[in-house]
Amino acid sequence: MADHVVVIGLGRFGESVALELMATGADVLGIDIGEDPVARMNARLTHAVQADATREEVLRQLGVDEAEYVVVAIGDSIEASLLTSSLVLSFGVPQLWAKAVSDAHGRILEQIGVHHVVHPEREIGRRVAHLLRARLQDYIELGGGYALVRTTPPAAVIGRPIREIHVRRNFGVTVIASKGSDGDWKDVTGDTVLADGDEILLTGPIAKAERFHLK
Ligand code: ATP
Ligand code: ATP
Ligand code: CA
């Protein structure tokens, strides 16, 4: 578990990463060059410090060179993002996550060796497109061409055990769980009989997973 995390840059993205880490019980050191973000986050993080993260001696004073998990959440200043990330990498920090604001920014972060590069705008944008177009309740791309989808069961699979319908063979998806009128999620097995109005969670190749509910 990542129990101690340094979050550099307390804009909207850094703030939500930091607060969610706090909510899950981690210690968070937040660093921002601005007075306002630090004042806003002061009482809500383990520590919040106003400092310029592009300065090596500053990072060392704050113990970032000893950290195990660091998130660089600086976006608009690509220069500050790259300088900070490069310093953190030079300390040998084993897990560096950085936010990219463009494809080029992300490519450079990867080239300098950042372990995890995230593109929040691009990822959420793609997700919204899939949710909207296929009218899904939830859609998560798993990589490797697979997706996890929350949706409703199509008429073709309602009222008979999944095993008899050969859902996996005929539709190319695996139904993992279902939620009926009682509101509880249950594992789906070959014996499960889905009903109109259930919700289901399924995985499969993207095109099959997102079109299954239309069958
Ligand atoms: P978001 O979209 O998450 O709000 P953003 O992509 O617009 O952020 P910025 O606003 O540039 O990115 O940066 C986020 C935070 O990083 C800001 O609060 C900013 O003050 C801080 N920041 C920028 N440069 C530095 C730096 N050199 N050291 C520490 N913090 C910095
Ligand atoms: P198979 O005989 O195809 O290898 P199996 O050993 O899993 O499948 P059963 O559990 O009897 O056999 O299921 C029969 C069929 O029911 C499977 O081929 C599959 O198409 C479908 N099936 C069972 N469980 C699921 C599930 N969770 N999601 C989708 N389809 C399922
Ligand atoms: Ca911005």
Side-chain angles (χ1 to χ4, degrees):
M1 279 290 266
D3 289 329
H4 307 277
V5 185
V6 181
V7 177
I8 302 175
L10 300 172
R12 288 160 302 179
F13 177 76
E15 170 178 321
S16 41
V17 172
L19 291 178
E20 197 67 14
L21 286 165
M22 291 295 294
T24 58
D27 284 342
V28 178
L29 165 62
I31 302 174
D32 199 290
I33 199 168
E35 195 177 333
D36 291 351
V38 173
R40 191 165 33 98
M41 297 299 283
N42 205 11
R44 307 168 75 190
L45 304 182
T46 317
H47 300 284
V49 177
Q50 187 182 352
D52 181 355
T54 63
R55 294 174 52 207
E56 178 171 358
E57 68 279 16
V58 166
L59 293 182
R60 285 191 189 278
Q61 268 164 23
L62 294 171
V64 178
D65 53 334
E66 305 282 332
E68 205 176 331
Y69 297 91
V70 176
V71 181
V72 174
I74 303 171
D76 291 350
S77 169
I78 292 181
E79 182 179 347
S81 158
L82 294 176
L83 285 171
T84 304
S85 299
S86 142
L87 282 171
V88 171
L89 287 170
S90 74
F91 298 147
V93 166
Q95 292 287 337
L96 172 58
W97 294 69
K99 160 183 152 157
V101 293
S102 66
D103 290 348
H105 183 198
R107 201 156 53 238
I108 300 169
L109 288 167
E110 275 166 20
Q111 281 165 350
I112 65 173
V114 174
H115 315 286
H116 307 274
V117 177
V118 292
H119 296 258
E121 277 89 0
R122 189 175 82 186
E123 280 157 27
I124 300 295
R126 289 172 62 135
R127 197 159 148 251
V128 167
H130 285 272
L131 293 177
L132 179 156
R133 181 150 163 72
R135 289 186 286 120
L136 305 173
Q137 277 137 12
D138 225 330
Y139 171 91
I140 297 170
E141 236 172 84
L142 303 173
Y146 257 61
L148 181 72
V149 164
R150 181 158 64 97
T151 185
T152 47
V157 304
I158 286 173
R160 276 193 300 149
I162 292 246
R163 175 180 294 124
E164 284 177 21
I165 307 162
H166 290 281
V167 170
R168 199 175 293 136
R169 202 183 303 156
N170 289 332
F171 300 96
V173 301
T174 298
V175 185
I176 304 166
S178 69
K179 186 167 71 158
S181 43
D182 62 359
D184 295 330
W185 284 101
K186 289 187 192 69
D187 293 339
V188 164
T189 67
D191 297 328
T192 303
V193 179
L194 295 170
D196 200 13
D198 284 356
E199 265 183 53
I200 53 172
L201 197 59
L202 62 103
T203 56
I206 291 173
K208 288 184 169 158
E210 74 177 0
R211 284 190 208 123
F212 176 63
H213 70 298
L214 304 171
K215 299 290 175 189

